[in-house]
Amino acid sequence: MTLSPLKMKRTHSVKNVIEGAIKACLIASSAIAVLVTVGIIFSLIIQSVRFFSEVSFFDFLFGIEWKPQSVTEIGGGKVSGVFGAVPLFVGTFLISFIALLVAGPFGIFSAIYLSEYAGDRKRALIKPALEILAGVPTVVYGFFAAIVIAPNIRGLGSALGFNVAAEAAISAGIVMGVMIIPLVSSIVDDVISAVPISLKEGAIGLGATRSETVRHVILPAALPGIAGGMLLAASRAVGETMIVVMAAGLAAQLSFNPLEAVTTVTVQIVLALTGDQEFDSAKTLVAFALGLTLFIVTLTFNLLGNWIVNRYKEAYD
């Protein structure tokens, strides 16, 4: 049965309308995502400019003292230099570094096992169990760090003759590393799976063992993706808040010792915006300056990760 030209024209017109509506919805969704991102950046910039009109940019970026509660006016719309953010960024990077030391080896090794050694049945069991860690609320990790990890580390440190603070950076870093293991494992698993099977078969055909194939063929081929994944994991660690609040404390002290209490940028953002705050005070506006700086740091990590992947990735035929 053939349709008449009039019916065919109507059908074609209806299809065009449906396609146009779907395309409009997709464009609107993309535009909303872009506009939300632009709005967030714009609000951070506007409020940060207000903050830096009262506080020196260099005092904020290079100052080593953080005491926003002791703000005093010094005239001319300026306040005294108590907003030195160096201790916050040192604490942030210290905890993130410890987290990557934990998540990196465990995440990479688990991904290698799942992709190269585990059978289908074991993979179907282990991978979902590993990914459960990604669904655990961060407040639960914070409880675990404060109640289980911190006391044990403090007891172990005392037995070895070290003075470990009740809230130490190492406690928060270890638990944060456990939290981001699924992220590292998932990224590395995808990267290893993208290595052509012909390379693996060629190495095995030349007499290499499975471990030699992993060390000399798979890992070098996947290294750019692994490096990029680690930088993405670093961005995730830098933005964590709850674990630090509960396990590392609120002390804004400049210390590189993982056994001492430190704080992070995100924790101080929360403190600055907690309670009834007036957005004409430098004590509140500093949260936007910290947020903008943290946004730039995480964006740099992401761009660097993408650059490493694109710069050093292998091209296979």
Side-chain angles (χ1 to χ4, degrees), residues 152-237:
N152 282 282
I153 290 180
R154 191 163 61 251
L156 179 61
S158 299
L160 297 176
F162 295 103
N163 184 20
V164 183
E167 296 176 323
I170 189 170
S171 303
I174 290 174
V175 177
M176 191 183 297
V178 173
M179 181 188 68
I180 62 177
I181 283 176
L183 175 62
V184 176
S185 178
S186 178
I187 293 174
V188 175
D189 188 14
D190 292 340
V191 171
I192 291 177
S193 299
V195 176
I197 189 66
S198 59
L199 294 181
K200 306 174 187 179
E201 293 175 345
I204 294 175
L206 292 173
T209 62
R210 180 171 294 182
S211 62
E212 290 174 337
T213 302
V214 171
R215 292 198 311 269
H216 300 296
V217 177
I218 296 176
L219 288 182
L223 188 58
I226 294 174
M230 291 299 294
L231 289 173
L232 292 177
S235 299
R236 175 69 180 86

Side-chain angles (χ1 to χ4, degrees), residues 93 100 223-235 295-313:
F93 290 127
L100 291 178
L223 188 58
I226 294 174
M230 291 299 294
L231 289 173
L232 292 177
S235 299
F295 170 78
I296 294 173
V297 170
T298 54
L299 178 63
T300 301
F301 282 159
N302 292 336
L303 293 177
L304 182 60
N306 291 332
W307 179 82
I308 290 175
V309 172
N310 294 328
R311 174 67 176 80
Y312 296 101
K313 69 179 179 181

Side-chain angles (χ1 to χ4, degrees), residues 2 7 11 18 40 53 61 72 75 81 83 97 124 127 130 135 137 182 189 199 216 245 264 269-270 290:
T2 59
K7 290 184 177 180
T11 303
I18 295 175
I40 292 173
S53 66
L61 200 59
T72 56
F83 292 99
F97 179 72
K127 191 171 179 62
L130 183 64
D189 188 14
L199 294 181
H216 300 296
V245 171
T264 63
I269 291 175
V270 172
L290 291 173

Side-chain angles (χ1 to χ4, degrees), residues 54-127:
E54 301 180 21
V55 178
S56 169
F57 175 78
F58 292 98
D59 287 345
F60 170 78
L61 200 59
F62 301 107
I64 59 174
E65 185 180 10
W66 178 263
K67 293 180 179 179
Q69 294 79 13
S70 59
V71 173
T72 56
E73 298 289 338
I74 60 177
K78 299 289 185 178
V79 298
S80 61
V82 291
F83 292 99
V86 170
L88 309 186
F89 285 101
V90 169
T92 299
F93 290 127
L94 175 61
I95 294 176
S96 300
F97 179 72
I98 296 172
L100 291 178
L101 288 181
V102 174
F106 283 100
I108 293 173
F109 292 158
S110 62
I112 292 173
Y113 175 75
L114 289 174
S115 60
E116 298 300 322
Y117 290 92
D120 292 337
R121 293 182 61 184
K122 290 183 179 179
R123 181 181 174 88
L125 177 65
I126 296 175
K127 191 171 179 62

